[in-house]
Amino acid sequence: MRQGGSMERRTILKAAGASLAVAGLGATATACGSGSGSGDGTVTIRYSWWGAEDRAQRINKTIALFEKKYPKIKVKTDFQQYADFWKKFNTQASGGNPPDVFQNAIGFLRKYDAKNVLLDLGEQVKAGNLSMDGFRAGLEKFGEVDGKLLGVPVGSNSMALVIDKPVYTRAGVTPEPGWTWDDFDAAMKRIRDRTGRAGDSGMYGVMYLYDLYLRQHGKAFFTEDALGFTEADLTDWWTKAERGVKEGVYADAKKVVQVKPKSAVSAELAGSEFTWDNFTVRYTSEGKSEYGLAPIPTTDGKKTGQYLGSLMLSASKRTQHPKEVAQFIDFMVHDPEVAKIMGYDRGVPATQAQFDAFQPDDEVNKAIAAYETSLVESGVLETITPHPSGADVCEAAFLRIAEEMALGKRSVEDAVKQFFTESKTALAG
């Protein structure tokens, strides 16, 4: 949920994708909190995030602006790729010394709140050190869990269908808001028959798409403490996906794996695929065609089940400098100059001031902004239930098991049983 127009391809590939399972945390130690101070009143806070070098360069520029405005606050930085970040974070948190402020995501809020790691930033809002005003489309609520403010959004994105525009044109397919899954299925066959290419890269492991499909039917992937669907529900979903591959409307999973890390769309194996809207830049950097964003199919022509997702900034409950951390977060989500530097690297800016400050001049990012604006104006957006503790493990299992099934290593029945077995264990912990 997180790239900008000039993002290098490796940044996207490393920062994106499904969450990976991370090692469990033991009880939080009673060591001293993080951060440090000096005799002249200057304090140092530690800031960690995941991503590649391009994001680091952008963030370091924003930190320089922050330190200029707050000369008594110094920021020590640290970043890794996604999986490495969480491994290190677990080690730090289990030792009672996590970074003062760090990049976070919805799948980890309940998990680390349950482990007593996250600071409730609500007190800093009351103290006037952090403003939750001016956020777009209700994003100020995104990091709230059980009445506590555990994360502050820095950007937004939503699921979309990325299409190879010339392929869709040749097939005579024009996706429009309100199209149904029946319309989508017919379009996939039309693309296959008229262009000789699979219509879609395959929907086996796109957990967030399945979440939208469930929400269209009055359910959701997660409730507050469990899975929100049945084995029968998932059997239907994966059976349909498997049938689509056999019929050639979804790409051959073996070929999709072979072209990784390139996407099936940019590798010309499929005419489209579901992903986060701000990943569109990936296809432009990888492929030779022209790519665009199409709306999510619906069940009833109205309800898409969509919400704005977001990366967030969270704080350690053990920080010795909660005020300075709050001031840092406030600066990063409200200052217009930060938006001009970050662009859409972490998604479309979460606050209106930053959204207005960065006006993209390239067609890809213009399309991303227009897509999210259309979602807000159309009124389709809903709220997301904060994922339960263990959701990150479930997400990783969903991706892995779905791929095993797609490659013919598991039957649908076996895949469903395996997923529910692993998920129940993860969510029970």
Side-chain angles (χ1 to χ4, degrees):
M1 333 178 172
R2 1 203 198 284
Q3 283 73 32
S6 62
M7 175 73 71
E8 296 176 358
R9 178 164 69 94
R10 61 196 175 122
T11 306
I12 297 155
L13 301 180
K14 291 175 181 176
S19 301
L20 302 177
V22 290
L25 268 173
T28 304
T30 56
C32 295
S34 59
S36 61
S38 65
D40 64 355
T42 299
V43 303
T44 298
I45 60 175
R46 294 160 49 218
Y47 174 33
S48 298
W49 68 90
W50 66 81
E53 186 61 36
D54 183 78
R55 177 175 294 175
Q57 292 174 0
R58 293 172 185 264
I59 287 178
N60 285 333
K61 289 179 181 178
T62 67
I63 289 172
L65 288 179
F66 173 77
E67 291 181 337
K68 184 176 180 179
K69 181 175 180 179
Y70 294 93
K72 292 293 186 180
I73 306 175
K74 302 301 178 184
V75 182
K76 183 178 180 181
T77 64
D78 185 25
F79 74 97
Q80 292 88 28
Q81 297 177 33
Y82 184 84
D84 293 335
F85 170 89
W86 287 111
K87 289 177 183 177
K88 184 172 183 177
F89 183 85
N90 270 311
T91 300
Q92 292 172 326
S94 62
N97 192 34
D100 296 273
V101 60
F102 53 94
Q103 191 169 283
N104 205 354
I106 189 73
F108 299 94
L109 291 183
R110 286 192 186 276
K111 174 175 183 171
Y112 289 110
D113 181 43
K115 296 179 184 299
N116 208 31
V117 173
L118 303 181
L119 177 69
D120 181 0
L121 290 161
E123 292 302 313
Q124 294 302 317
V125 175
K126 294 177 183 178
N129 299 320
L130 171 62
S131 172
M132 295 304 293
D133 296 331
F135 282 81
R136 299 170 43 246
L139 280 168
E140 69 277 2
K141 301 291 185 181
F142 192 77
E144 290 186 3
V145 175
D146 302 330
K148 293 177 286 188
L149 180 60
L150 303 180
V152 179
V154 294
S156 70
N157 56 10
S158 191
M159 287 296 295
L161 179 66
V162 174
I163 67 172
D164 185 318
K165 294 171 73 173
V167 168
Y168 268 62
T169 298
R170 291 202 306 273
V173 174
T174 305
E176 296 180 349
W179 71 326
T180 65
W181 286 105
D182 288 340
D183 296 330
F184 173 78
D185 293 340
M188 297 301 97
K189 294 176 182 177
R190 195 178 181 104
I191 291 170
R192 177 199 62 190
D193 296 342
R194 294 195 174 190
T195 71
R197 190 181 299 187
D200 189 82
S201 64
M203 306 190 300
Y204 283 96
V206 189
M207 189 198 90
Y208 288 97
L209 175 66
Y210 186 45
D211 183 37
L212 299 191
Y213 183 81
L214 290 167
R215 290 162 72 90
Q216 291 177 16
H217 290 80
K219 299 183 179 183
F221 199 96
F222 292 114
T223 65
E224 291 187 358
D225 57 5
L227 296 176
F229 59 98
T230 66
E231 291 189 23
D233 293 328
L234 185 55
T235 298
D236 289 344
W237 177 255
W238 274 347
T239 297
K240 179 182 178 181
E242 184 181 56
R243 183 171 62 246
V245 173
K246 292 178 179 178
E247 294 175 351
V249 295
Y250 299 152
D252 184 336
K254 295 182 178 65
K255 294 181 179 179
V256 173
V257 170
Q258 288 172 357
V259 300
K260 285 184 177 181
K262 204 171 190 179
S263 75
V265 173
S266 54
E268 301 182 357
L269 296 176
S272 56
E273 69 181 8
F274 292 94
T275 188
W276 298 105
D277 57 16
N278 65 316
F279 289 177
T280 313
V281 64
R282 166 187 181 176
Y283 303 90
T284 302
S285 65
E286 287 183 348
K288 301 176 182 178
S289 191
E290 182 182 359
Y291 308 98
L293 294 170
I296 296 293
T298 69
T299 299
D300 61 2
K302 298 177 182 179
K303 183 181 176 68
T304 67
Q306 284 173 278
Y307 45 81
L308 290 183
S310 180
L311 285 181
M312 292 173 279
L313 293 180
S314 292
S316 165
K317 201 168 189 175
R318 292 189 171 275
T319 182
Q320 296 177 356
H321 308 294
K323 175 182 177 180
E324 289 79 4
V325 164
Q327 290 173 324
F328 176 79
I329 295 174
D330 186 84
F331 180 86
M332 290 299 169
V333 299
H334 290 290
D335 189 89
E337 293 304 313
V338 170
K340 294 177 183 178
I341 293 170
M342 295 305 301
Y344 289 174
D345 178 81
R346 296 177 297 193
V348 177
T351 56
Q352 192 65 45
Q354 289 196 339
F355 180 85
D356 294 339
F358 176 70
Q359 296 296 319
D361 55 12
D362 63 287
E363 293 305 315
V364 173
N365 282 295
K366 284 181 180 179
I368 294 170
Y371 179 76
E372 290 209 5
T373 298
S374 72
L375 295 179
V376 174
E377 293 177 347
S378 64
V380 301
L381 293 175
E382 304 174 4
T383 58
I384 181 174
T385 302
H387 295 178
S389 178
D392 54 319
V393 179
C394 298
E395 186 177 350
F398 191 85
L399 177 66
R400 186 190 75 252
I401 294 169
E403 183 171 271
E404 291 171 354
M405 182 186 64
L407 293 173
K409 298 178 181 180
R410 291 183 184 273
S411 66
V412 171
E413 180 181 10
D414 178 53
V416 170
K417 289 186 180 300
Q418 184 64 30
F419 172 73
F420 270 79
T421 296
E422 292 189 26
S423 295
K424 288 177 181 178
T425 299
L427 296 174

